[in-house]
Amino acid sequence: MLDTPTIHIYVKQTLQEIIMKRYRYIVEFGAGMAAYAVVLSISVLFVNQLEGFWKTALSLAPMVPALAVAVSIMRQIRRIDELQRQIQLEALSLAFGGTALISFSYGFLENAGYPKLSMFVVWPLMAILWIIGGLISHRRFR
């Protein structure tokens, strides 16, 4: 059986680990998003001044820091406990399935004459469904 000072030390260390994991995620995610904003601004400002390969390369340049953001999210998923992982899995399942159903449905509507949409609408749709899925799943496991 553990004595009270040992329990206090254990709880303090556990809380410090949780705070450090969350802090690490915020730093990684924030740095990735800041880099994305800078590279995106440069890309938008200068992409029309280039031709050929360099125009394509500069157009895709924001995806490099976006990859860093994706990696920070994946690392955070690995750091969280099993319950939070389950919540995120259910949220991502809803986002994945919902995005597939909505984007395919709209693709068929384009065959019926609806206006063509940019591929840029897919990620915000998936993000909104991920948030909704997270709220539903979090409420379910409360």
Side-chain angles (χ1 to χ4, degrees):
M1 178 144 204
L2 298 174
D3 59 346
T4 304
T6 305
I7 292 173
H8 283 251
I9 290 170
Y10 177 74
V11 169
K12 185 177 177 182
Q13 288 174 341
T14 303
L15 287 174
Q16 286 176 339
E17 287 176 21
I18 291 170
I19 291 169
M20 286 305 297
K21 286 178 183 176
R22 181 165 286 183
Y23 178 75
R24 192 175 310 142
Y25 172 66
I26 290 169
V27 168
E28 289 174 1
F29 184 83
M33 289 303 294
Y36 176 79
V38 169
V39 175
L40 178 64
S41 299
I42 292 169
S43 174
V44 169
L45 287 174
F46 298 108
V47 73
N48 289 328
Q49 297 176 9
L50 300 173
E51 295 293 329
F53 169 79
W54 292 111
K55 186 173 187 170
T56 302
L58 189 58
S59 295
L60 293 174
M63 297 317 300
V64 174
L67 177 64
V69 171
V71 168
S72 75
I73 292 170
M74 289 176 17
R75 290 173 53 131
Q76 179 63 9
I77 296 286
R78 289 185 188 130
R79 288 182 203 126
I80 59 179
D81 63 29
E82 289 182 25
L83 176 61
Q84 291 298 317
R85 260 191 229 144
Q86 181 69 27
I87 290 170
Q88 291 302 318
L89 177 63
E90 289 189 12
L92 288 168
S93 298
L94 180 104
F96 178 79
T99 302
L101 290 172
I102 293 169
S103 63
F104 268 73
S105 295
Y106 196 82
F108 291 126
L109 289 174
E110 287 180 347
N111 292 336
Y114 282 70
K116 301 264 184 213
L117 289 180
S118 167
M119 291 294 291
F120 283 114
V121 300
V122 174
W123 167 239
L125 172 65
M126 185 176 268
I128 290 169
L129 291 175
W130 186 9
I131 291 168
I132 292 170
L135 293 171
I136 292 170
S137 187
H138 184 74
R139 185 177 173 94
R140 188 170 151 232
F141 287 106
R142 205 175 352 155

